[in-house]
Amino acid sequence: MRWATVLLVAGLCGASLGQYNEEEDLAWLQYYMRQSRLNSYNYMPYYEDENPPYVYSYLPAPDGEAEAGPEAQQAPSRECPQECDCPPNFSAAMYCDTRNLRYLPFVPSRMKYVYFQNNQIAAVQEGAFDNATELEWLALHNNQITSEKMGKRVFAKLRNLERLYMNNNNLTKMPGPLPRSLRELHLSYNQISKVPSNALEGLENLTALYLSHNQIFEMGASLKGLKSLILADLSYNHLRKVPDGLPMALEQLYLEYNHINSIPDDYFRVSPKLLYVRMSHNSLTNQGLSSNTFNSSSILELDLSYNRLQKIPRVSTNLENLYLQGNQINEFSISSFCTVVDVMNYSRLQVLRLDGNEIKRNAVPPDAPLCLRRATIIEI
């Protein structure tokens, strides 16, 4: 069990921290094994509505005697601040999380990965990271940071920054300017109300954008220039219209729990790699949709539950999961799934949910089993 734990953590580190060089990877693994009876760091990936990233916990000591760890030495303040921990064999990381800090300690120039989450930090002063321009990961989530107390160009010199975590703070505006190197931007659970069209300008390397649980009512065309964006989470906001212009590389779009009532024609066709679309708990009606709005061959999962639809919208035969529960649908139209029903033409749909609508069970047309022959779950 002890070796399984070590191998599991080593695997997670190798998968998630791929940007470290081999020498640092080996040093970190050796450090972890020596510290098996002391505090160990577990990396947990972050997904929406789950625990914030980089949750560190203390593992129970395994049975038997473990190798004694090196005796802690007091490092000079410019090598490692007193308030933080800097593992001796992982010299590019500094852990200052969960220490009731109200300010940002000095960050030594060698640092690439710094963790300030779970504190009471309210301000990020101008020049806070000017000494540590090689930073790649910056974790500031679960604090009390406000937009008014953030330096206007606090991230300007971080030309290697790839991941910025500022979720669960008190931000009312988008931080910026942001480094062009950024790959992940976590801003969920703040109080941001607007995303200006230039707020994400130049972030051509950004692959994941988390803006859920804010107060955003306007996105404009802020996503349009994000050429590498794969995931956009804009759920739990106040949007009344979909963002203008989706990126071509987009694969996951989350817009549930907004106030959207219509979608432009061919809106999803500009994103030929789009796989997952979630738009539940909005105000969509059939009048606000064109006949082919969701007839995109790339989409595999479509969630339109808890809207105001009265008819089943037409979808692609490649769609695998369709959620329509909690609408006002009163008929089962097989043409929504198959334009032609025969042996060679059928839907790949596997899950169809229509419960909580106005359809009666005996309203299912006789050719439905031929069209939906792949379906394993149909709820009416």
Side-chain angles (χ1 to χ4, degrees):
M1 181 61 71
R2 177 182 173 187
W3 277 105
T5 302
V6 171
L7 291 174
L8 175 61
V9 174
L12 285 173
C13 289
S16 301
L17 311 181
Q19 69 272 29
Y20 302 152
N21 58 42
E22 295 180 0
E23 182 179 351
E24 285 180 331
D25 280 340
L26 181 59
W28 171 243
L29 179 57
Q30 292 172 343
Y31 176 75
Y32 175 85
M33 294 172 65
R34 287 200 302 270
Q35 299 293 318
S36 59
R37 291 192 63 177
L38 303 176
N39 54 318
S40 300
Y41 300 106
N42 282 343
Y43 173 79
M44 297 178 64
Y46 172 68
Y47 301 99
E48 59 167 346
D49 295 336
E50 294 186 4
N51 291 330
Y54 312 106
V55 177
Y56 301 100
S57 59
Y58 293 94
L59 300 179
D63 296 334
E65 291 297 324
E67 180 184 350
E71 186 175 338
Q73 297 181 359
Q74 182 65 41
S77 61
R78 294 188 66 84
E79 293 298 321
C80 187
Q82 282 186 330
E83 304 90 340
C84 308
D85 289 333
C86 305
N89 291 323
F90 195 52
S91 60
M94 185 172 80
Y95 299 95
C96 311
D97 54 298
T98 321
R99 294 158 201 256
N100 204 30
L101 296 179
R102 297 179 180 272
Y103 59 91
L104 284 174
F106 173 81
V107 182
S109 59
R110 72 176 187 277
M111 295 303 172
K112 294 183 179 180
Y113 320 101
V114 295
Y115 307 97
F116 294 113
Q117 72 272 22
N118 304 326
N119 284 294
Q120 299 182 42
I121 300 169
V124 182
Q125 64 273 21
E126 198 73 69
F129 308 112
D130 283 4
N131 185 64
T133 56
E134 300 300 314
L135 281 179
E136 296 180 13
W137 288 17
L138 178 55
L140 289 163
H141 52 283
N142 293 341
N143 277 287
Q144 300 174 15
I145 301 170
T146 65
S147 296
E148 292 73 21
K149 293 185 179 180
M150 276 195 62
K152 293 183 178 180
R153 298 186 58 82
V154 70
F155 305 119
K157 295 185 179 181
L158 304 182
R159 298 180 179 178
N160 295 316
L161 190 66
E162 294 185 355
R163 292 171 174 84
L164 176 60
Y165 297 87
M166 295 196 71
N167 39 300
N168 291 86
N169 276 285
N170 298 319
L171 299 177
T172 55
K173 299 178 182 179
M174 291 288 292
L178 296 168
R180 293 175 178 267
S181 56
L182 209 59
R183 295 183 180 274
E184 291 185 16
L185 179 58
H186 297 253
L187 292 170
S188 298
Y189 293 94
N190 277 284
Q191 302 167 28
I192 299 170
S193 60
K194 184 179 180 180
V195 182
S197 294
N198 62 348
L200 304 170
E201 189 175 9
L203 302 186
E204 297 185 358
N205 294 310
L206 194 69
T207 60
L209 174 64
Y210 297 91
L211 278 168
S212 69
H213 294 87
N214 276 281
Q215 301 173 15
I216 301 171
F217 65 90
E218 184 178 346
M219 286 289 298
S222 55
L223 302 182
K224 195 170 185 178
L226 304 180
K227 297 181 179 180
S228 303
L229 193 68
I230 294 175
L231 184 153
D233 186 355
L234 307 172
S235 58
Y236 293 88
N237 278 289
H238 302 317
L239 293 173
R240 295 190 175 275
K241 56 179 294 188
V242 291
D244 296 333
L246 296 180
M248 288 188 62
L250 196 66
E251 296 179 7
Q252 304 176 51
L253 177 62
Y254 304 137
L255 287 166
E256 62 264 40
Y257 287 93
N258 278 284
H259 307 296
I260 299 168
N261 56 25
S262 64
I263 301 175
D265 294 348
D266 299 326
Y267 180 70
F268 298 108
R269 291 187 181 274
V270 298
S271 302
K273 299 180 180 180
L274 193 61
L275 300 174
Y276 307 100
V277 177
R278 297 179 184 172
M279 299 194 68
S280 67
H281 296 273
N282 275 280
S283 302
L284 290 173
T285 64
N286 291 97
Q287 291 71 30
L289 306 176
S290 72
S291 58
N292 284 306
T293 298
F294 299 109
N295 192 17
S296 173
S297 60
S298 65
I299 299 177
L300 297 181
E301 179 177 294
L302 177 60
D303 189 352
L304 299 175
S305 58
Y306 302 98
N307 277 280
R308 300 175 184 175
L309 299 174
Q310 294 179 320
K311 296 181 180 180
I312 301 174
R314 185 180 178 187
V315 295
S316 168
T317 55
N318 291 322
L319 189 70
E320 296 181 356
N321 300 285
L322 177 59
Y323 303 97
L324 289 166
Q325 68 270 23
N327 278 279
Q328 303 167 14
I329 299 171
N330 53 27
E331 64 175 300
F332 194 116
S333 51
I334 201 66
S335 60
S336 297
F337 310 102
C338 301
T339 53
V340 177
V341 182
D342 55 33
V343 177
M344 299 300 295
N345 296 282
Y346 57 90
S347 171
R348 274 71 175 174
L349 204 65
Q350 299 176 17
V351 176
L352 172 61
R353 288 196 58 182
L354 285 164
D355 47 307
N357 281 281
E358 300 174 12
I359 300 177
K360 297 180 180 179
R361 291 182 177 273
N362 58 8
V364 179
D367 52 353
L370 186 59
C371 170
L372 303 176
R373 68 186 72 174
R374 291 274 187 93
T376 56
I377 297 177
I378 298 180
E379 295 189 16
I380 298 178

